[in-house]
Amino acid sequence: MASDTNLTAIRAAAPADAGEKTVFKILLTISFCHLLNDTLQSLIPAIYPLLKNSFHLDFGQVGLIALTLQLTASILQPLVGLYTDRRPQPYSLAVGMGISLAGLLALALAPSYATVLAAAALMGIGSAVFHPESSRVARMASGGQHGMAQSLFQVGGNAGSALGPLLAAFVLTKGQSSLAWFSFLAFFGIVLLANIGTWTKHHKSYSAKSVALDPARLAAMPPAQAHAALPTGKIVLSLAILVALMFSKFFYLASLISYYTFYLMAKFHVSLQSAQLHLFIFLGAVAAGTIIGGPVGDKFGRKYVIWVSILGVLPFTLLLPYSNLFWTSVLSVIIGLILASAFSAILVYAQELLPGRIGAVSGLFFGFAFGMGGIGAALLGKLVDLTSLNFVYHLCSFLPAIGILTALLPNLEPAKLKTPAPQPSAPTYVAAPAAEGTTPSNKRDL
């Protein structure tokens, strides 16, 4: 009979390796819905200059809008993830998009700065409801290719973030009231997410199923992740390092996403439309970089992707504040490509540290990403008021140096199980958790 260690390995590996197929239809749909969600979210930073002029705001008040948007999302996402881990809510995705729709309409009609903050809070709540469950759906449909699935899911969001400024440059020509036109995107998203909720309801099972374990074939199966043997202290330290890396990544991104248009307009005297196009190019590079990180992490290991994407971007961030307009555009593309590959690798790495807590981990890291973006935007806005945009960009250029902490992360690549001695006994049946995306009746002879 297989040892307890091997049985634990099978239980941990079963969901990813039970012969499931990647459901690309669901992956592409949830990625597209992520695009719609983040397109709506990215409209807010895209119209910061309009809001600044309309309500006579300083940079600190602009940063407070970002803080309100991101902080509501960051606080709620882990809570939503914990709740849906225990009580799945397949139609919560459509509800989240509906809340974002309400926030969008409130922002379009906002008569005061206080209403703008309330609208930003609503959109943050909608995002908080959307992200944990949608990340779980991506993992359910992954067929075991978790890095690829998360990258495909993430690239939808990054593409949406890039589309927001581009659409704002050409659609919002009549001011903030033009935001109401984007409500059609939200309605479309609600329909798609309701269909995904139906798929999730019919394919997700939480009851145990019997899995036939043939000891002679244990070694042929991908084993449990190496982190199964990690002590609690090591897991906590690893999570703390991941949080520090997230801080580095998203604080730096906050300086670019929130203030890049202002930076280009102030330093190079470009028009608002030109600055928004430059922001679109940067965010497009972020979208392209995101799709690379997951598959590369699946093949070569998450730790190496994290190492290169955080610390490897440092030379380019250090050069950016000293560059002319052309090289600023080039460097921003390089920075976006490299830095964006980190998030899916970090997220899947964290999920492997804490298997069985997909919603909670996804909510925690999405929430932290939103929180760091919001806090970063608010603090950097105040710092800009006290100093200058150039000073802030010089200061933020050193943030990727935190990537050196990646050296302290353990390697989570699965170690090969030793082949047990041949045994004549018949396959042993044990209870294993139901694979995501299967029903209790699906039994496979592994």
Side-chain angles (χ1 to χ4, degrees):
M1 178 178 274
S3 66
D4 291 341
T5 301
N6 287 341
L7 294 181
T8 301
I10 297 304
R11 290 191 183 100
D17 304 296
E20 299 173 34
K21 293 181 179 180
T22 303
V23 188
F24 281 103
K25 179 181 178 181
I26 295 299
L27 279 178
L28 292 174
T29 303
I30 198 66
S31 179
F32 181 70
C33 290
H34 198 185
L35 180 150
L36 295 178
N37 180 83
D38 284 23
T39 295
L40 301 180
Q41 301 288 323
S42 67
L43 290 172
I44 296 181
I47 65 168
Y48 282 163
L50 288 175
L51 297 175
K52 187 175 185 295
N53 292 332
S54 297
F55 298 104
H56 308 291
L57 309 178
D58 58 31
F59 282 106
Q61 290 173 308
V62 171
L64 186 58
I65 298 173
L67 178 63
T68 302
L69 171 68
Q70 310 288 20
L71 200 57
T72 51
S74 67
I75 292 174
L76 290 176
Q77 284 196 52
L79 300 178
V80 172
L82 283 170
Y83 182 81
T84 55
D85 276 340
R86 298 178 180 181
R87 298 182 179 181
Q89 303 292 326
Y91 295 106
S92 63
L93 292 170
V95 172
M97 186 66 76
I99 297 173
S100 293
L101 171 60
L104 179 70
L105 293 175
L107 183 61
L109 304 174
S112 65
Y113 178 63
T115 311
V116 170
L117 293 179
L122 277 175
M123 296 190 73
I125 293 171
S127 186
V129 175
F130 173 82
H131 281 98
E133 189 67 14
S134 58
S135 181
R136 188 208 309 276
V137 169
R139 189 174 179 93
M140 286 175 58
S142 69
Q145 300 183 69
H146 300 147
M148 180 277 297
Q150 286 299 327
S151 280
L152 188 57
F153 170 66
Q154 287 300 322
V155 79
N158 291 137
S161 297
L163 280 174
L166 180 66
L167 294 174
F170 294 102
V171 177
L172 302 181
T173 55
K174 296 182 180 180
Q176 70 184 81
S177 61
S178 302
L179 285 170
W181 287 105
F182 291 96
S183 61
F184 293 105
L185 296 181
F187 278 121
F188 187 37
I190 290 172
V191 173
L192 292 177
L193 290 172
N195 290 333
I196 287 180
T198 300
W199 178 87
T200 303
K201 184 178 180 180
H202 291 157
H203 288 77
K204 190 189 297 183
S205 174
Y206 292 91
S207 59
K209 68 170 186 170
S210 296
V211 179
L213 301 182
D214 187 349
R217 300 181 64 187
L218 284 175
M221 290 186 60
Q225 304 298 334
H227 65 78
L230 290 178
T232 301
K234 188 69 172 178
I235 293 176
V236 171
L237 176 62
S238 299
L239 289 173
I241 292 171
L242 294 179
V243 166
L245 296 176
M246 293 277 286
F247 163 79
S248 167
K249 169 183 167 64
F250 285 98
F251 234 75
Y252 184 79
L253 284 178
S255 71
L256 285 177
I257 294 174
S258 296
Y259 302 108
Y260 194 45
T261 53
F262 295 110
Y263 176 76
L264 295 176
M265 291 166 66
K267 184 173 182 178
F268 303 113
H269 308 291
V270 299
S271 66
L272 172 60
Q273 188 176 62
S274 176
Q276 288 173 330
L277 289 175
H278 279 82
L279 180 59
F280 164 72
I281 293 171
F282 165 71
L283 292 174
V286 170
T290 299
I291 199 65
I292 298 172
V296 172
D298 283 339
K299 185 173 184 179
F300 298 105
R302 327 263 180 230
K303 181 177 177 179
Y304 302 109
V305 174
I306 296 170
W307 181 274
V308 172
S309 63
I310 302 293
L311 189 62
V313 81
L314 181 61
F316 305 104
T317 62
L318 292 175
L319 286 173
L320 184 66
Y322 302 97
S323 303
N324 59 25
L325 179 60
F326 172 77
W327 284 109
T328 294
S329 301
V330 172
L331 288 172
S332 67
V333 168
I334 296 173
I335 290 169
L337 284 169
I338 298 175
L339 196 58
S341 62
F343 186 69
S344 58
I346 290 174
L347 181 60
V348 176
Y349 188 101
Q351 290 174 344
E352 291 172 352
L353 278 173
L354 296 171
R357 294 290 182 268
I358 304 305
V361 170
S362 299
L364 174 65
F365 278 84
F366 276 114
F368 190 80
F370 276 69
M372 282 298 97
I375 294 172
L379 292 180
L380 293 176
K382 278 295 182 184
L383 190 58
V384 170
D385 287 332
L386 295 173
T387 58
S388 67
L389 280 167
N390 281 333
F391 175 82
V392 167
Y393 272 77
H394 278 84
L395 181 65
C396 290
S397 67
F398 292 93
L399 284 172
I402 295 175
I404 195 70
L405 294 175
T406 306
L408 302 177
L409 291 174
N411 292 319
L412 296 187
E413 287 73 35
K416 292 183 179 179
L417 290 175
K418 294 182 180 179
T419 305
Q423 299 182 25
S425 59
T428 303
Y429 288 84
V430 299
E436 296 169 327
T438 62
T439 60
S441 63
N442 291 338
K443 298 181 180 180
R444 294 180 177 85
D445 188 349
L446 300 183

